Amino acid sequence: MWWSRASRFLMEKQTLPASSCSLVLLEETKKSPLLLTNGGGYPPAAANCGLAAGSGGAGPDKKGGVAAGAGPGYQERETWTRQMDFIMSCVGFAVGLGNVWRFPYLCYKNGGGVFLIPYLLIVFVGGIPIFFLEIALGQFMKAGSINVWNIAPLFKGLGYASMVIVFFCNTYYIMVLAWGFYYLIKSFSSTLPWSTCDNDWNTASCIEIFHHQDCKNASLANTTVGGSNMTCAELADGRSPIIEFWENKVLNISSGLDEPGNLNWELMLCLMAVWVLVYFCVWKGVKSTGKIVYFTATFPYVVLIILLVRGVTLPGAYDGIMYYVKPDWSKLGEAQVWIDAGTQIFFSYAIGLGALTALGSYNRFNNDCYKDAFVLALINSGTSFFAGFVVFSILGFMAAEQGVDISQVAESGTVRVSFSLYLQFVGVEGFITGILDLFPGKYYHRYKREIAVAICCLLCFIIDLSMVTQGGMYVFQLFDYYSASGMTLLWQAFWECIVVAWVYGADRFMDDVARMIGYRPFPWMKWCWSFITPCVCMGIFLFHLVNYKPLTYNNDYVYPWWGEVIGWCLALSSMLCIPVSLLYKLFRAKGTFKERWTHLTTPVWGAHHLEYMAPDIKSLSSMSPGTDDNKVIIFESVM
């Protein structure tokens, strides 16, 4: 629905730029207010004022050029049909492996309930500030992960870095969904293939029932128990049919990275099916994904609740839950606990991927993203904590069945099926949004988005073929450990804070947020962006670097040196985008260093900013009534 809003601005002539372009634009807007709708064109007079991309001087005011492509023919940006679409999209983004598996694992590893102390502390000094920063930046600039850095064009490498990271995430994360789809298909058989030891892929060590009650006495080590004709000593080395189905059937894993082996055609078909599903859910943009999200975001919670109800009724569930939450206060003194808390937050909040920026860019300009950030952070962290009860109630049961300690089950590396298909949707959406924002209106094509999504899905599928071979798990771990690791996300988050707080200006961005939501956020956000969060990010980053350990698989297979080189190339391909892009732009620019810096850090505004960034009302205080120098301008806008 369209409605009108008229507001009056009084402005002195001397406050206008020398070219008086602002006056011309505002007068043209008065005549043709529809030209300044969100994402639309700008008045023809702007062309005569030279408002091209990158033009405009620097200074304390909101000066800068109008982004190229903002003129006639510029395609209006989509917005969410309902604001709840945005909330549900972010909620769907919250339920992934980072919440369902990684948080419970880190929680029990780092002192149980004690882990919540460093976790919550870093949530408020790192997680929420950057989470809010990315959403607000996307909403303010109305652009994806690349063009959003028109706020300081010299640091546009941040956008390219996030695009590289999210591309790698899209490539390897979908394998989790392919494995889940494979299990779903196999579950329709009359007898679950992972429930028995009578299959071709099972070994002599496969045991269906462990008879651990008969082997509690150490003196019975050589006694044959049950009907398995195995001694208690042999039972200790037994393998569950669940693990053998995963390693011998699903993965059919080879001996190392240097032996790729054959393609698993069943897994390849599952991978193809998942990519086709992702394509048809993303190809029409937020108008279609906004409808799908109501199922993909809520269904995982239904599944988690069902699993929790079932899990707590199983034998051994209580021991598993107590293992999860029992506090070990001595862990607070270990640096690794605090590091794990920091990396977990950046991982589960999806910071630095550009996806949050893309989702925020489809918001209404006046949406209260400050309130949304706190609500979504609560849902994200709450999901993590809740999922821990689900996971460890089942792990307690598995440990009781196998007669082993819970820690052995938790670290065994068995299958973890993600519930969140929408996490993949958002990753692809973030990547496509960034790509399409690079093409101005003159490159408009009716099926531009559909073609871009198809190319993205096809390219990722081709790369994924290396992960459905016998050596595919080794390739998958390379991507997981290096391409979207804690180091790359921490590096990205550090520079985001530095650019917004120190290059663009923390107070300046707080003013921009106030323009959008109608009030200034608590100053804590500004302090975090400026000092606390960059220090936290860099501290954890350096700790990771100093304590780097080579990648292994199942604590047994050590990757060859050339495998580590490939991994570091994946990591550096995103991290180097920032310094390389910065140096390239500085060397290509002309003038002194100060002139280059001033020009390259001048924001490039989009067409929608002309509507909302009118002269500040504070300039009224210097006006003298009744003089000819004063000019009253009626600035009418239609939103």
Side-chain angles (χ1 to χ4, degrees):
M1 177 180 293
W2 297 84
W3 65 91
S4 297
R5 182 183 66 181
S7 56
R8 297 173 179 261
F9 293 92
L10 304 178
M11 180 172 58
E12 291 181 278
K13 281 184 178 179
Q14 50 265 44
T15 65
L16 294 173
S19 64
S20 71
C21 287
S22 298
L23 179 59
V24 174
L25 286 172
L26 291 176
E27 287 179 331
E28 288 290 336
T29 303
K30 177 183 175 182
K31 299 173 184 177
S32 305
L34 284 174
L35 289 173
L36 292 180
T37 56
N38 180 22
Y42 55 83
N48 299 327
C49 296
L51 289 177
S55 65
D61 272 344
K62 296 288 191 286
K63 298 178 183 178
V66 177
Y74 181 71
Q75 191 178 12
E76 184 175 349
R77 191 172 193 82
E78 286 184 294
T79 57
W80 301 104
T81 305
R82 293 171 296 274
Q83 193 55 35
M84 185 55 67
D85 295 353
F86 168 71
I87 299 295
M88 296 301 290
S89 296
C90 293
V91 169
F93 203 32
V95 189
L97 286 180
N99 307 80
V100 175
W101 177 261
R102 195 169 185 267
F103 175 84
Y105 167 76
L106 291 177
C107 200
Y108 102 85
K109 172 189 171 185
N110 294 301
V114 169
F115 183 69
L116 293 177
I117 296 176
Y119 178 84
L120 292 176
L121 182 61
I122 299 179
V123 161
F124 285 101
V125 302
I128 293 178
I130 304 183
F131 191 85
F132 169 58
L133 173 66
E134 293 195 357
I135 292 177
L137 198 58
Q139 181 172 312
F140 179 67
M141 295 299 292
K142 290 290 183 184
S145 55
I146 296 180
N147 279 357
V148 75
W149 294 107
N150 280 337
I151 200 169
L154 178 60
F155 294 90
K156 219 167 182 177
L158 273 165
Y160 297 117
S162 65
M163 291 287 286
V164 173
I165 295 174
V166 79
F167 176 77
F168 287 148
C169 282
N170 293 338
T171 300
Y172 85 88
Y173 188 84
I174 200 168
M175 281 305 304
V176 181
L177 303 178
W179 292 329
F181 189 56
Y182 182 84
Y183 270 79
L184 177 64
I185 293 174
K186 292 295 183 179
S187 67
F188 286 105
S189 57
S190 57
T191 301
L192 294 177
W194 54 84
S195 64
T196 66
C197 293
D198 302 329
N199 304 288
D200 296 337
W201 57 83
N202 292 124
T203 65
S205 300
C206 181
I207 305 174
E208 296 180 18
I209 303 176
F210 281 80
H211 298 283
H212 59 277
Q213 294 291 342
D214 300 333
C215 295
K216 285 187 175 180
N217 192 337
S219 62
L220 301 177
N222 295 321
T223 304
T224 301
V225 296
S228 60
N229 295 323
M230 299 180 71
T231 65
C232 291
E234 292 172 334
L235 285 175
D237 297 325
R239 288 163 57 86
S240 165
I242 299 174
I243 296 177
E244 293 209 340
F245 176 78
W246 165 244
E247 293 186 349
N248 300 342
K249 174 62 176 175
V250 180
L251 298 181
N252 193 17
I253 193 166
S254 65
S255 60
L257 183 64
D258 55 343
E259 295 183 17
N262 300 320
L263 279 173
N264 185 334
W265 66 269
E266 291 180 323
L267 208 54
M268 184 185 69
L269 292 177
C270 291
L271 176 67
M272 184 184 300
V274 174
W275 269 122
V276 170
L277 177 61
V278 169
Y279 174 78
F280 284 108
C281 289
V282 176
W283 70 326
K284 291 298 183 182
V286 297
K287 298 298 184 182
S288 59
T289 55
K291 298 179 178 65
I292 299 169
V293 70
Y294 285 91
F295 171 77
T296 57
T298 55
F299 181 71
Y301 288 96
V302 175
V303 175
L304 285 175
I305 292 172
I306 294 173
L307 290 177
L308 178 63
V309 172
R310 175 56 178 159
V312 296
T313 61
L314 296 172
Y318 176 79
D319 294 333
I321 293 175
M322 292 307 298
Y323 199 91
Y324 169 52
V325 299
K326 185 179 179 181
D328 181 1
W329 298 100
S330 63
K331 291 285 188 177
L332 281 178
E334 299 180 10
Q336 186 63 46
V337 175
W338 296 81
I339 301 304
D340 284 345
T343 53
Q344 167 60 20
I345 289 166
F346 286 94
F347 182 81
S348 65
Y349 277 45
I351 290 170
L353 300 179
L356 294 174
T357 304
L359 293 177
S361 70
Y362 297 115
N363 281 336
R364 291 177 295 103
F365 189 83
N366 298 114
N367 174 61
D368 193 345
C369 53
Y370 183 61
K371 179 186 67 177
D372 291 346
F374 280 94
V375 171
L376 293 169
L378 176 63
I379 295 174
N380 194 312
S381 298
T383 301
S384 299
F385 188 65
F386 175 73
F389 291 93
V390 179
V391 171
F392 273 85
S393 64
I394 297 175
L395 290 181
F397 166 71
M398 292 175 63
E401 284 290 299
Q402 298 179 25
V404 297
D405 190 76
I406 297 175
S407 61
Q408 297 181 35
V409 180
E411 299 192 36
S412 64
T414 52
V415 181
R416 286 93 74 178
V417 179
S418 171
F419 297 112
S420 181
L421 180 62
Y422 196 76
L423 184 58
Q424 186 72 25
F425 297 165
V426 174
V428 175
E429 177 64 45
F431 182 78
I432 295 300
T433 299
I435 292 294
L436 294 182
D437 282 350
L438 293 176
F439 296 94
K442 63 181 180 179
Y443 293 105
Y444 173 74
H445 186 278
R446 182 179 178 182
Y447 299 107
K448 180 171 67 175
R449 179 182 181 86
E450 289 84 346
I451 295 173
V453 175
I455 294 174
C456 172
C457 293
L458 180 61
L459 181 59
C460 290
F461 174 77
I462 293 173
I463 298 174
D464 286 333
L465 290 178
S466 64
M467 301 183 197
V468 294
T469 62
Q470 290 177 277
M473 175 52 77
Y474 303 110
V475 179
F476 176 85
Q477 278 207 327
L478 271 181
F479 275 82
D480 183 50
Y481 193 76
Y482 290 99
S483 67
S485 64
M487 284 200 301
T488 57
L489 299 181
L490 290 165
W491 176 259
Q492 184 79 4
F494 169 79
W495 282 106
E496 286 181 6
C497 291
I498 293 299
V499 172
V500 171
W502 294 102
V503 179
Y504 182 74
D507 285 312
R508 193 176 177 186
F509 189 64
M510 291 284 277
D511 292 340
D512 295 333
V513 173
R515 281 186 172 90
M516 292 192 296
I517 67 177
Y519 61 93
R520 288 178 66 87
F522 190 66
W524 174 256
M525 288 294 176
K526 179 180 66 176
W527 302 335
C528 286
W529 297 336
S530 303
F531 305 105
I532 303 175
T533 305
C535 292
V536 170
C537 293
M538 187 50 62
I540 300 176
F541 175 83
L542 293 176
F543 183 89
H544 264 289
L545 203 58
V546 171
N547 294 277
Y548 167 77
K549 295 179 181 179
L551 177 61
T552 61
Y553 176 73
N554 272 354
N555 297 320
D556 182 25
Y557 173 77
V558 179
Y559 278 67
W561 67 267
W562 55 269
E564 285 195 65
V565 170
I566 294 174
W568 277 107
C569 288
L570 293 175
L572 292 175
S573 63
S574 63
M575 296 172 65
L576 290 179
C577 284
I578 302 170
V580 169
S581 174
L582 184 148
L583 293 175
Y584 175 78
K585 287 178 178 290
L586 282 176
F587 281 121
R588 286 292 303 270
K590 298 179 180 179
T592 64
F593 178 80
K594 183 178 180 181
E595 291 171 343
R596 297 181 189 187
W597 178 271
T598 300
H599 175 69
L600 292 173
T601 56
T602 299
V604 181
W605 302 124
H608 69 282
H609 289 107
L610 300 178
E611 177 178 351
Y612 295 102
M613 300 181 65
D616 200 327
I617 198 67
K618 293 180 180 179
S619 63
L620 293 173
S621 59
S622 63
M623 302 185 69
S624 302
T627 62
D628 293 335
D629 290 337
N630 297 341
K631 186 175 183 67
V632 177
I633 298 176
I634 307 298
F635 181 41
E636 298 177 346
S637 64
V638 177
M639 296 192 305

